[in-house]
Amino acid sequence: MSDTRIDSRFAALRAEGRAGLVTFLSAGDPDAATSLEIVKGLPSAGADLIELGMPFTDPMADGPSVQAAGLRALQSGATMRHTLQLVRDFRAEDDETPVILMGYYNPIHHYGVEPFLKDAVEAGVDGLIVVDLPPEEDEELCLPALNAGLNFIRLATPTTDDKRLPAVLANTSGFVYYVSITGITGAAAVDVGPVTFAIERLRRHTDLPIGVGFGIKNAVDAAAVARVADAAVVGSALVDRIEAAASPRAAVDGVLSLVRELADGVRGARNGSGAD
Amino acid sequence: MTTQPLNTYRNGPDERGHFGIYGGRYVAETLMPLILSLEDAYRAAKDDPEFAAEMDYFLRDYVGRPSPLYFAERLTEHYGGAKVYFKRDELNHTGAHKINNCMGQILLARRMGKKRIIAETGAGQHGVATATVAARFGLECIVYMGEVDIERQKPNVFRMKLLGAEVRPVTSGSRTLKDAMNEALRDWVTNVDDTFYIIGTAAGPHPYPELVRDFQSVIGKETKRQMMEHEGRLPDSLVACIGGGSNALGLFHPFLDDKGVAIYGVEAAGHGIETGEHAASLTAGAPGVLHGNRTYLLQDDDGQITEAHSISAGLDYPGIGPEHAWLNDTGRVKYVSATDKEALEAFTLCCRQEGIIPALEPAHALAFVGTLAPTLPKDHLLVMNMCGRGDKDVFTVAEALGESL
C-alpha cells in the first residue's frame, strides 16, 4: 500500500522530532456551516491530524460530551452524506492534513460498505476508526478499507494484554490509538505513569506511531503525553467548547483557541519550553 | 430470504457467535477480553455437573420451577378452535421468565469471582429479577433505567430499591431501554475488573445471545415433557411475544427441529405498523449493528436508530435477538405482530376468562392466539408462553382504559 497522508504526516513529525496533535470533533457540530469553519481553521491553529466523528444516535463508548456533540449535529440535520461533504469541502483547500473518520459501524453498514469506501476515498478521507469493530470482525470493514487504500486505525486499551495485542495490531495501519483509561471518552484524567509503561509495551509489538487519547484536557496533559507518545488525541475538551459557546462565532473561537494552546503544549513538550 | 429447510436449527451460533449473518461481537476493544473470558467461563460451567446441580437447585427451590403447563379451558371454548395451553412462567418468583436467566448469569458471575452486578432494564422486570438474585447472593447491584421508563414503572423502581439495588436514571438519548443498555455498556467499559453485566435478553455480543437462550430453554424443555404427560404428544404450535426475544427463544429452541411444530413470534405493532410508532424490528426494520450484534433494527435512512413504541415497556426496544433474525430469514419461525389495542383487548379477555392478569407483553402473544386458534381444529394443541404477570401493568392499563386509580 502506498503512503497515506497519515503515514506522510507521521514521517514529517518524526523528522521534526516532535509529537503530533490529533483533534476530534463531531462532524456537523453544532451545524454544518460552523463545523466547516472550525475544521478549516484547525491546521493553522496547530492540529496535525483531524478526526471527525460520524454522528450516531447510540455512541456506546462515548461519554456525555461526545454523545452531546453527535446529538447536536444530528439535530441540525447531519447525515453521513453531510460528513463526507464536509471532508470534500475541507480537501478543496487542504490536500495535506490527514482526515480520519471515527464512529460506529451501523451508519456505515446502512450506507453500504462498498459505496461508503468509494465515497470516502473520493472525498479525501485517509483513515477510519470504528469503535465497535474489533479484529474478530475484520472482514466487515477493516479488510475492504485497507484494500481501498485507507488506513484502519485500531484502539488498544489497558485490557488488551500481550496475548491479544498481535491480533489487534495485525491489520492496524496509520497509527495505533492507545486508549489511556478503561472507560468512556472524557471521563477520567490521563495518568502519564501507566501510559508510559503501556507505550513501551506497545513498542515491543509494533513500529507504528502511537497516539494516546481519552482524558487529555489541557496543554499540560497534552505536553505530558507528547513526551512519551507520537501523538496526543484531544476530543471531549474541544467539543465542550462548542457546548459552552453562546454563538457559532464563539464556538469557532473557543475551539481554535484551545487547539492553539494544545499545539503549544505538544510542540514544546520535548525541548523543555512546553506548558509544564 | 431462503425457505430451504435445514437439517437442524439448533446448532447455532458458530464459534464466532454468528447465526447465519446475524450475531457476532461488535464491541469496543476494552470489552473484547471480557466477553472472551465470559465465553470461556460459560463453556467451563456448561460442562460442569456441579454448575447444573446448583442451577437445578435454585430453579426448583427459589424460582419455583417447573412452572405448570395449564390448559386454558375457558379461553379454548371462547375461541372455539385449537386447544390452548399456557406455559405459566408468570408464576415464577418475581413474576416473569426473566429470573431463569438472571439465576444462570449470577451463578456464572460467582464462578468468575465478580463482586459487582450491573444490568439494564426497560419495564423493570429484568431489573427486579437481577436485584433479586444480587440480594440473594449478597452482591452489589446497579440497574440502569431510562428516565422515561422510571416514570412509567414506579412500582418496579421501588421494588429494586427494596432489594438493595441502586437504580441509576439514564438521561441520554431517548431515555428508554436502548439508552439504558448504552449506559450499562459504558459502566462495564469503565469497571472492567470487578463487574459482571447481566444482560436481560437474548441479544448483545456473543456469547450473551447463546447463554441467555440456554438459560431460558428450561421453558421449552419443561413444556415438551409436560405436553407429553398431558396429551401424550408434542404440541402443534407455539406462540410467544418478542421484545428482545428471550422468553420466545426459551420456549422455541427445544422444538426447532420438531418439524411438525409451527412456531409464531409476536412483535409489538404499537399504534400500528403503518404509523411508524411500533417496536416491530423484524416486520418493519432492516439489518444493522447495535449493542454488540448484527440483527434487525428500527433505523432511518442514515442508519440512525429510531425510537420504538409499545404500550408494553418490555417490548419497547428497536432491535431483536440475532437468533430470531436468523430464524426469520430461514423461515423456521413465522413473525407476526399485534397492536397496543389488540393486546389490551386480549389482556382484558384473559382476566375475565381465565382469572389470570397477564403482563402486557404476553397479552400481545394472546392477541395473536385469538386470531390463530379459531382457524384451527379442536385437536390442535397450541402452547402460549404466559411469560409474565400483569401486576406491574395495572396503572398503564387503567390509563389506557380511561380509569383513574
Side-chain angles (χ1 to χ4, degrees):
Chain A
M1 197 168 96
S2 58
D3 276 5
T4 63
R5 292 187 191 87
I6 298 171
D7 301 323
S8 310
R9 179 54 52 98
F10 275 106
L13 289 168
R14 205 159 27 244
E16 277 184 58
R18 70 172 178 92
L21 173 64
V22 184
T23 58
F24 170 92
L25 292 160
S26 196
D29 176 27
D31 59 72
T34 311
S35 183
L36 178 61
E37 194 181 342
I38 294 173
V39 173
K40 280 182 172 173
L42 288 173
S44 61
D48 298 300
L49 294 90
I50 295 173
E51 272 179 29
L52 291 175
M54 298 173 277
F56 183 47
T57 40
D58 293 79
M60 290 164 298
D62 285 301
S65 298
V66 175
Q67 283 179 53
L71 287 181
R72 277 195 300 271
L74 289 173
Q75 274 154 14
S76 76
T79 64
M80 186 66 90
R81 278 168 218 290
H82 290 124
T83 298
L84 293 169
Q85 188 56 44
L86 174 63
V87 179
R88 250 177 243 121
D89 292 344
F90 172 78
R91 273 282 167 256
E93 295 183 4
D94 184 322
D95 197 34
E96 287 181 1
T97 308
V99 173
I100 298 150
L101 294 185
M102 179 166 185
Y104 296 80
Y105 186 36
N106 197 56
I108 297 172
H109 184 272
H110 201 74
Y111 195 101
V113 167
E114 270 186 42
F116 170 77
L117 290 174
K118 181 171 164 288
D119 292 354
V121 168
E122 277 175 14
V125 172
D126 304 292
L128 302 175
I129 302 174
V130 184
V131 179
D132 53 356
L133 283 178
E136 281 73 5
E137 307 291 350
D138 266 357
E139 297 104 88
E140 293 277 351
L141 180 67
C142 172
L143 299 180
L146 294 176
N147 282 333
L150 294 174
N151 285 133
F152 200 84
I153 296 133
R154 193 100 62 192
L155 276 63
T157 75
T159 61
T160 315
D161 59 18
D162 281 328
K163 191 164 141 263
R164 187 167 165 77
L165 255 179
V168 169
L169 294 169
N171 291 316
T172 300
S173 65
F175 67 99
V176 181
Y177 187 154
Y178 182 68
V179 175
S180 54
I181 50 169
T182 58
I184 51 178
T185 51
V190 65
D191 183 353
V192 176
V195 169
T196 307
F197 180 76
I199 290 173
E200 284 166 8
R201 183 167 72 93
L202 282 171
R203 293 211 196 277
R204 288 198 293 274
H205 289 269
T206 181
D207 295 328
L208 286 169
I210 297 167
V212 172
F214 282 39
I216 301 172
K217 291 182 173 26
N218 53 44
V220 176
D221 295 343
V225 166
R227 270 180 213 111
V228 293
D230 301 303
V233 188
V234 184
S236 297
L238 290 171
V239 304
D240 282 345
R241 291 288 175 106
I242 298 179
E243 165 98 49
S247 66
R249 182 76 264 143
V252 176
D253 294 343
V255 171
L256 295 181
S257 71
L258 180 55
V259 171
R260 278 188 284 272
E261 289 169 32
L262 294 164
D264 283 348
V266 166
R267 284 160 201 252
R270 292 188 200 164
N271 57 24
S273 66
D276 206 355
Chain B
M1 205 176 282
T2 170
T3 48
Q4 185 73 28
L6 304 176
N7 289 329
T8 176
Y9 292 87
R10 300 188 68 231
N11 61 3
D14 67 18
E15 72 285 356
R16 292 166 60 213
H18 293 110
F19 302 91
I21 64 164
Y22 302 103
R25 289 177 286 213
Y26 300 88
V27 296
E29 173 58 27
T30 314
L31 292 182
M32 269 313 296
L34 277 77
I35 63 171
L36 291 172
S37 78
L38 173 62
E39 191 182 347
D40 289 344
Y42 180 55
R43 298 270 168 263
K46 232 177 156 173
D47 293 338
D48 182 353
E50 261 183 55
F51 182 79
E54 204 180 11
M55 187 75 184
D56 287 348
Y57 165 75
F58 283 106
L59 285 181
R60 187 190 66 217
D61 288 4
Y62 190 71
V63 175
R65 301 208 71 94
S67 68
L69 181 68
Y70 163 72
F71 172 42
E73 195 175 351
R74 293 198 65 225
L75 268 175
T76 297
E77 278 169 28
H78 177 85
Y79 294 137
K83 203 167 173 185
V84 177
Y85 280 87
F86 290 161
K87 178 59 176 166
R88 299 204 52 194
D89 256 52
E90 102 278 15
L91 294 177
N92 294 335
H93 181 40
T94 73
H97 68 289
K98 293 289 186 187
I99 195 147
N100 303 329
N101 165 49
C102 289
M103 187 55 78
Q105 289 201 47
I106 204 145
L107 292 179
L108 259 185
R110 272 159 50 93
R111 281 174 75 100
M112 294 176 78
K114 303 290 185 182
K115 303 283 181 231
R116 184 173 173 272
I117 301 296
I118 59 170
E120 84 294 338
T121 198
Q125 291 305 97
H126 174 60
V128 168
T130 303
T132 298
V133 295
R136 170 60 185 78
F137 293 103
L139 298 179
E140 182 189 358
C141 179
I142 289 139
V143 180
Y144 289 92
M145 188 168 186
E147 227 175 21
V148 170
D149 290 333
I150 285 181
E151 189 49 43
R152 58 180 174 180
Q153 301 288 339
K154 281 179 186 158
N156 272 344
V157 174
F158 187 58
R159 274 184 198 112
M160 288 184 264
K161 286 180 183 164
L162 285 173
L163 292 161
E166 181 193 340
V167 179
R168 289 197 187 159
V170 175
T171 56
S172 59
S174 61
R175 296 172 291 138
T176 57
L177 178 56
K178 82 175 172 73
D179 306 285
M181 200 151 176
N182 290 333
E183 215 53 46
L185 285 164
R186 289 181 188 119
D187 179 311
W188 204 24
V189 167
T190 309
N191 302 292
V192 291
D193 292 328
D194 62 344
T195 298
F196 189 102
Y197 179 15
I198 298 189
I199 291 185
T201 193
H206 177 63
Y208 280 104
E210 177 187 351
L211 70 87
V212 175
R213 175 201 71 198
D214 289 350
F215 291 140
Q216 291 293 0
S217 289
V218 66
I219 300 171
K221 286 177 195 160
E222 286 175 7
T223 301
K224 227 173 185 176
R225 196 183 66 233
Q226 290 166 323
M227 192 54 103
M228 289 304 289
E229 286 162 15
H230 281 289
E231 302 276 357
R233 65 179 183 93
L234 292 181
D236 299 299
S237 50
L238 306 174
V239 180
C241 64
I242 315 263
S246 69
N247 92 82
L249 268 184
L251 175 65
F252 299 169
H253 195 260
F255 291 96
L256 288 175
D257 287 342
D258 296 305
K259 294 189 173 57
V261 182
I263 307 182
Y264 303 90
V266 186
E267 294 192 290
H271 296 314
I273 302 289
E274 70 289 350
T275 66
E277 294 177 28
H278 57 78
S281 22
L282 284 177
T283 310
V289 171
L290 181 71
H291 293 152
N293 59 156
R294 178 192 266 112
T295 187
Y296 280 81
L297 300 171
L298 299 179
Q299 51 188 322
D300 68 13
D301 292 344
D302 191 44
Q304 305 296 336
I305 307 305
T306 55
E307 308 280 316
H309 166 81
S310 170
I311 191 172
S312 144
L315 303 181
D316 200 350
Y317 178 69
I320 184 165
E323 193 163 7
H324 284 295
W326 177 74
L327 289 168
N328 175 70
D329 285 11
T330 57
R332 175 63 185 97
V333 176
K334 186 166 166 49
Y335 293 89
V336 296
S337 64
T339 63
D340 288 356
K341 188 167 166 286
E342 290 163 339
L344 269 172
E345 285 164 9
F347 177 98
T348 313
L349 182 72
C350 188
C351 294
R352 300 279 172 85
Q353 292 286 326
E354 293 293 346
I356 294 172
I357 301 177
L360 281 169
E361 290 80 12
H364 285 73
L366 188 61
F368 177 68
V369 171
T371 63
L372 181 67
T375 68
L376 298 168
K378 288 189 189 322
D379 61 351
H380 184 104
L381 304 178
L382 186 158
V383 177
M384 188 204 93
N385 196 12
M386 181 60 77
C387 62
R389 62 174 173 247
D391 309 40
K392 70 181 173 63
D393 293 318
V394 292
F395 296 102
T396 308
V397 172
E399 198 186 316
L401 298 178
E403 292 185 29
S404 57
L405 298 181

